[in-house]
Amino acid sequence: MKTKYNPETTPELAEKYAREGYSDSQIAEMLGINKTAFYDWQHKHSEFAEALKRGKAPANAELKRAMLKTAMGYEVEEEETTAILDKNKQVKSYRTTKRRKYIPPNPTMQIFLAKNRMPEEFRDVNRHEVDLRGEIGVNSLAELMMEDETRNEGN
């Protein structure tokens, strides 16, 4: 069976589509293949996989910066233009006012980043303990934190 993969043009097209922000499904469709073939090509053709990485890299970097900024909070400068009217209600001039506005941190983004960037420290924990009778007890995160605090107070 003849493949649609062309080592001369396919990686270049894939990189272009990825750089333009298309999803893997959309790229596969534009290349005239299904998602299974798309993922097969990534495994079989390293130049195809690398082209996709290169194409996605700028947008991914920008997304990471935006996510971190959202998690940490930031300031923006807003500009408001007001028309100054004369006594006949005609526009005489315009006044532009600039002000800084603080956008507070987004706790949901903080949690998302913490869990994904530092999973050892910030994962949801359910510890299961089995007693001698074989009963299973599940401790909530709050219970585990209280146990840790109690243990640390003795140190």
Side-chain angles (χ1 to χ4, degrees), residues 16-84:
K16 175 185 178 291
Y17 296 149
R19 189 175 299 113
E20 291 173 357
Y22 292 104
S23 68
D24 288 351
S25 296
Q26 291 170 318
I27 294 171
E29 187 177 323
M30 289 186 286
L31 293 174
I33 59 173
N34 62 33
K35 279 183 74 172
T36 302
F38 180 83
Y39 294 119
D40 284 346
W41 286 4
Q42 286 186 68
H43 294 296
K44 291 178 184 174
H45 306 284
S46 60
E47 70 277 6
F48 181 73
E50 288 301 315
L52 286 168
K53 283 182 190 176
R54 279 192 311 273
K56 292 178 181 182
N60 289 350
E62 185 61 33
L63 178 61
K64 288 176 187 177
R65 280 191 294 276
M67 290 170 69
L68 186 58
K69 185 177 172 181
T70 300
M72 304 302 288
Y74 58 99
E75 287 188 0
V76 294
E77 188 170 282
E78 293 185 329
E79 205 172 270
E80 184 179 322
T81 302
T82 309
I84 308 297

Side-chain angles (χ1 to χ4, degrees), residues 6-153:
N6 179 335
E8 301 294 320
T9 58
T10 304
E12 187 178 314
L13 280 174
E15 183 174 346
K16 175 185 178 291
Y17 296 149
R19 189 175 299 113
E20 291 173 357
Y22 292 104
S23 68
D24 288 351
S25 296
Q26 291 170 318
I27 294 171
E29 187 177 323
M30 289 186 286
L31 293 174
I33 59 173
N34 62 33
K35 279 183 74 172
T36 302
F38 180 83
Y39 294 119
D40 284 346
W41 286 4
Q42 286 186 68
H43 294 296
K44 291 178 184 174
H45 306 284
S46 60
E47 70 277 6
F48 181 73
E50 288 301 315
L52 286 168
K53 283 182 190 176
R54 279 192 311 273
K56 292 178 181 182
N60 289 350
E62 185 61 33
L63 178 61
K64 288 176 187 177
R65 280 191 294 276
M67 290 170 69
L68 186 58
K69 185 177 172 181
T70 300
M72 304 302 288
Y74 58 99
E75 287 188 0
V76 294
E77 188 170 282
E78 293 185 329
E79 205 172 270
E80 184 179 322
T81 302
T82 309
I84 308 297
L85 306 177
D86 63 18
K87 60 185 173 194
N88 297 323
K89 306 281 186 201
Q90 298 297 315
V91 176
K92 182 169 76 172
S93 62
Y94 293 94
R95 180 181 347 152
T96 301
T97 306
K98 292 181 182 180
R99 69 173 133 318
R100 301 215 37 97
K101 180 179 179 183
Y102 180 67
I103 308 299
N106 181 313
T108 303
M109 185 60 71
Q110 291 174 339
I111 292 166
F112 174 81
L113 289 175
K115 284 182 176 184
N116 285 281
R117 293 174 62 103
M118 301 168 278
E120 295 78 27
E121 294 178 64
F122 296 99
R123 65 176 171 242
D124 292 325
V125 177
N126 282 328
R127 187 171 69 193
H128 300 277
E129 296 178 3
V130 179
D131 69 10
L132 296 175
R133 295 171 300 205
E135 295 176 6
I136 298 175
V138 178
N139 293 341
S140 70
L141 182 57
E143 291 169 329
L144 293 172
M145 290 173 69
M146 286 175 52
E147 285 178 19
D148 284 344
E149 287 177 21
T150 303
R151 261 188 252 124
N152 289 335
E153 287 174 4

